[in-house]
Amino acid sequence: MPKQPERSNLAKWNLIIDVANSVHANNCILAAKDEYVGNDFPGYSAPLPDEGGDIMTVTRKIRGETPLVDTAYLLQMCNHCDNGPCQKVGGDAVRKRPDGIVIIDPVKAKGRKDIVEACPYGAVIWNEELQLPQHWTFDAHLLDDGWTQPRCVDVSPKGAIEAVKISDTQMEKRAKAEGLEALRPELGTQPRVYYRNLDRFTKCFIGGTLIAAVDGFEQCVENASITLFQSDREIGSTQSDAYGEFKLDGLDPNSGAYQLEISHPKYGDLATDAHIGTDSVYLAELLLHS
């Protein structure tokens, strides 16, 4: 792993995105286009092109199958890394501000397609017309003009995106306490964009619906206990809801075979197997016998 730069106690900008609350992520993309397309902010950014200027992107992921399905949206942009490869190749064309924001100089970076190629997140685009690498600047021109947050926060539902300016130590404590994650931490780039509920996009679940035969009719089984095992090691547990449905989440893709033990004081016990490949698994209706 690359050597990490020392963390600072200066207040720096960070962005927190809730993947479970990002259904309106396209609003951020539209706001970015409205702000940057055709607009010149000297010292910060040159005008983005009418087409292809996607400095923010959103990817949709659907997990599971009917009736147990969930959809998540992953909003991505420049991560304003503290140890970004773009800074290493960019020289004086890419600068890191004391407040954590990365700026690709719209004059010095002209012709520098290597800056685009250096970003492992694909967050730097190439403006063919201007022969210029471009990225989302954290709306630094607005912040420097007195704005308290970037536009993407303004156009998102409350809690979906939060911009915070705190020290590295405070941010690290908050990330740990709230289970916030950055994309591809193994790269050692130290991103300043964090995600809440990233499991909704990166992990899989095993789910099902529990039913029992009562007086000749099938009914949903509520409050059954479900325990998940892998190779005799307990992975997690949950209970079925009023519709008999259950979900055990946070499982790695392609993690293989699992065993489920299900029990209910009235409707009896059941053991079954499941296998996680590239996607989540819905086990359909499972019949308990008293």
Side-chain angles (χ1 to χ4, degrees), residues 183-288:
L183 293 177
R184 302 185 65 187
E186 72 278 3
L187 295 174
T189 58
Q190 291 188 332
R192 292 199 163 272
V193 176
Y194 294 83
Y195 293 88
R196 180 178 288 111
N197 296 309
L198 189 57
D199 281 7
R200 289 280 302 275
F201 205 88
T202 61
K203 301 291 186 178
C204 298
F205 68 78
I206 295 173
T209 303
L210 303 180
I211 59 174
V214 180
D215 297 328
F217 296 94
E218 291 183 350
Q219 71 173 35
C220 300
V221 177
E222 184 179 8
N223 292 328
S225 297
I226 303 99
T227 305
L228 183 67
F229 296 89
Q230 187 173 46
S231 301
D232 297 323
R233 181 171 65 92
E234 183 175 330
I235 303 298
S237 61
T238 189
Q239 286 191 312
S240 57
D241 62 18
Y243 302 99
E245 293 181 347
F246 68 89
K247 179 193 289 186
L248 291 148
D249 211 338
L251 307 176
D252 289 330
N254 299 306
S255 51
Y258 291 86
Q259 303 79 44
L260 293 90
E261 293 184 1
I262 303 166
S263 64
H264 190 276
K266 181 177 181 181
Y267 300 115
D269 303 331
L270 177 67
T272 190
D273 297 326
H275 187 278
I276 291 288
T278 58
D279 199 0
S280 299
V281 173
Y282 176 63
L283 298 173
E285 294 184 345
L286 301 172
L287 180 63
L288 296 180

Side-chain angles (χ1 to χ4, degrees), residues 130-152:
L130 298 181
Q131 292 290 293
L132 190 66
Q134 294 181 296
H135 73 315
W136 177 63
T137 68
F138 216 103
D139 292 355
H141 61 291
L142 297 178
L143 298 175
D144 289 350
D145 198 37
W147 284 50
T148 60
Q149 57 192 18
R151 284 189 63 180
C152 60

Side-chain angles (χ1 to χ4, degrees), residues 12-290:
K12 298 179 183 179
W13 285 105
N14 305 271
L15 202 70
I16 301 171
I17 301 172
D18 189 347
V19 178
N21 193 18
S22 295
V23 66
H24 297 290
N26 276 320
N27 289 352
C28 297
I29 296 174
L30 293 174
K33 286 184 176 293
D34 180 66
E35 187 66 30
Y36 292 93
V37 170
N39 295 322
D40 188 18
F41 303 109
Y44 299 94
S45 62
L48 283 179
D50 291 338
E51 296 184 7
D54 297 323
I55 54 174
M56 287 189 178
T57 61
V58 61
T59 306
R60 183 179 72 167
K61 183 169 185 177
I62 300 174
R63 302 190 305 165
E65 54 188 291
T66 306
L68 199 59
V69 177
D70 67 37
T71 303
Y73 297 86
L74 186 67
L75 180 66
Q76 296 182 77
M77 67 285 282
C78 175
N79 285 279
H80 294 273
C81 306
D82 285 349
N83 194 31
C86 65
Q87 299 164 51
K88 296 176 182 178
V89 305
D92 64 354
V94 182
R95 62 187 174 93
K96 181 76 169 177
R97 300 185 355 164
D99 63 0
I101 294 176
V102 171
I103 298 293
I104 299 176
D105 191 285
V107 175
K108 295 179 180 179
K110 194 171 182 64
R112 296 291 305 276
K113 204 166 188 177
D114 57 325
I115 295 174
V116 177
E117 297 165 350
C119 178
Y121 302 98
V124 182
I125 67 167
W126 180 248
N127 186 324
E128 184 66 29
E129 180 182 354
L130 298 181
Q131 292 290 293
L132 190 66
Q134 294 181 296
H135 73 315
W136 177 63
T137 68
F138 216 103
D139 292 355
H141 61 291
L142 297 178
L143 298 175
D144 289 350
D145 198 37
W147 284 50
T148 60
Q149 57 192 18
R151 284 189 63 180
C152 60
V153 179
D154 282 338
V155 300
S156 299
K158 185 176 181 180
I161 304 180
E162 181 183 2
V164 293
K165 191 178 183 183
I166 55 180
S167 72
D168 292 336
T169 301
Q170 290 172 314
M171 190 63 224
E172 288 167 1
K173 288 181 178 178
R174 180 167 179 182
K176 184 177 181 179
E178 299 179 18
L180 306 178
E181 300 177 75
L183 293 177
R184 302 185 65 187
E186 72 278 3
L187 295 174
T189 58
Q190 291 188 332
R192 292 199 163 272
V193 176
Y194 294 83
Y195 293 88
R196 180 178 288 111
N197 296 309
L198 189 57
D199 281 7
R200 289 280 302 275
F201 205 88
T202 61
K203 301 291 186 178
C204 298
F205 68 78
I206 295 173
T209 303
L210 303 180
I211 59 174
V214 180
D215 297 328
F217 296 94
E218 291 183 350
Q219 71 173 35
C220 300
V221 177
E222 184 179 8
N223 292 328
S225 297
I226 303 99
T227 305
L228 183 67
F229 296 89
Q230 187 173 46
S231 301
D232 297 323
R233 181 171 65 92
E234 183 175 330
I235 303 298
S237 61
T238 189
Q239 286 191 312
S240 57
D241 62 18
Y243 302 99
E245 293 181 347
F246 68 89
K247 179 193 289 186
L248 291 148
D249 211 338
L251 307 176
D252 289 330
N254 299 306
S255 51
Y258 291 86
Q259 303 79 44
L260 293 90
E261 293 184 1
I262 303 166
S263 64
H264 190 276
K266 181 177 181 181
Y267 300 115
D269 303 331
L270 177 67
T272 190
D273 297 326
H275 187 278
I276 291 288
T278 58
D279 199 0
S280 299
V281 173
Y282 176 63
L283 298 173
E285 294 184 345
L286 301 172
L287 180 63
L288 296 180
H289 298 277
S290 56

